[in-house]
C-alpha cells in the first residue's frame, strides 16, 4: 500500500499576496506581483487577480481574498448582484429596484451626489490662493498718502511764478 503524495512541480510559481496582507507591509514593495499568469495561490481561500500591468504591457498577478465586485457610482445605473462601494470612506451603498422589481445596488458620495470634495477641487483651491498671493505681492504699490515716498505732484517751473 503506497500513499500518494501530491507534489507541486518545481517550476510552479506562487503568486504573492496583495498589500492588504500584513506580511507584505514595510518590505518596500509598492506592487508585489509576478508576471507569471500561471502562478498559484499558496492560500487556497485566495484568488489570483490581475493587479497591475508592467511598462511592457505584461499582466502582473497576485493573490487576494475574494471580494464582491464594486457597485456602480453612475447616477442612472445600478448593479444587479451583491457588491460593495469601491471606497467606503467616501461612498455609501444604497439599494434600489429595477423596472421589473428586482433588487440592485449603487454607491453615492456620503454627502450626496455631486457634493464630494476630492483632490482636484482641493488642488484648484490651492492654485487660486497661490495665484492671488503672487498677484498681491508681486507688483509695485503706490506710496501711502502723506508717506515718505516720492510725491506725485509736479514741481513748478521757475518761470511760472512770475506770471
Amino acid at each position: 500500500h503506497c500513499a500518494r503524495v501530491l507534489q507541486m512541480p518545481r517550476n510552479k510559481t506562487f503568486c504573492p499576496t496583495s498589500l492588504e496582507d500584513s506580511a507584505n507591509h514595510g518590505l518596500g514593495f509598492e506592487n508585489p506581483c509576478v508576471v507569471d499568469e500561471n502562478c498559484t495561490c499558496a492560500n487556497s481561500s485566495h484568488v489570483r487577480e490581475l493587479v497591475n500591468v508592467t511598462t511592457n504591457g505584461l499582466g502582473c498577478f497576485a493573490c487576494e481574498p475574494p471580494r464582491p465586485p464594486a457597485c456602480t457610482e453612475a447616477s442612472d445605473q445600478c448593479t444587479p448582484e451583491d457588491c460593495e462601494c469601491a471606497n467606503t470612506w467616501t461612498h455609501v451603498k444604497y439599494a434600489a429596484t429595477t423596472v421589473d422589481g428586482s433588487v440592485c445596488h449603487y454607491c453615492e458620495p456620503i454627502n450626496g451626489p455631486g457634493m464630494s470634495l476630492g483632490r482636484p477641487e482641493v488642488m484648484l483651491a490651492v492654485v487660486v490662493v497661490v495665484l492671488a498671493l503672487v498677484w498681491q505681492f508681486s507688483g509695485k504699490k503706490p506710496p501711502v498718502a502723506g508717506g515718505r515716498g516720492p510725491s506725485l505732484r509736479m514741481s513748478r517751473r521757475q518761470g511760472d511764478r512770475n506770471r
Side-chain angles (χ1 to χ4, degrees):
H1 298 154
C2 248
R4 292 181 99 184
V5 177
L6 294 176
Q7 291 183 347
M8 179 85 53
R10 286 185 201 163
N11 61 356
K12 198 69 167 174
T13 305
F14 282 113
C15 301
T17 55
S18 69
L19 282 176
E20 295 164 0
D21 184 355
S22 60
N24 283 331
H25 285 294
L27 296 179
F29 297 123
E30 285 186 28
N31 296 313
C33 59
V34 293
V35 293
D36 180 6
E37 66 182 77
N38 295 318
C39 66
T40 59
C41 298
N43 183 340
S44 61
S45 69
H46 286 86
V47 293
R48 182 177 53 97
E49 295 281 346
L50 176 66
V51 294
N52 208 341
V53 178
T54 67
T55 55
N56 298 335
L58 300 172
C60 201
F61 299 88
C63 292
E64 297 181 345
R67 58 181 169 210
C71 300
T72 185
E73 294 177 11
S75 60
D76 60 344
Q77 299 175 5
C78 61
T79 305
E81 58 191 343
D82 189 29
C83 57
E84 314 179 323
C85 294
N87 186 343
T88 56
W89 291 95
T90 60
H91 287 73
V92 64
K93 178 178 161 183
Y94 293 100
T97 54
T98 60
V99 178
D100 67 355
S102 57
V103 176
C104 61
H105 308 278
Y106 64 97
C107 292
E108 279 188 355
I110 290 176
N111 296 330
M115 299 300 288
S116 64
L117 182 63
R119 180 181 283 177
E121 293 84 4
V122 171
M123 291 305 293
L124 180 62
V126 168
V127 168
V128 168
V129 168
V130 168
L131 286 175
L133 290 173
V134 167
W135 178 75
Q136 178 69 26
F137 294 113
S138 67
K140 288 185 176 180
K141 293 185 180 183
V144 179
R148 295 186 185 141
S151 173
L152 295 178
R153 293 181 76 184
M154 293 179 61
S155 62
R156 288 187 173 181
R157 291 190 322 220
Q158 196 69 5
D160 290 344
R161 281 193 220 158
N162 298 332
R163 283 195 188 179

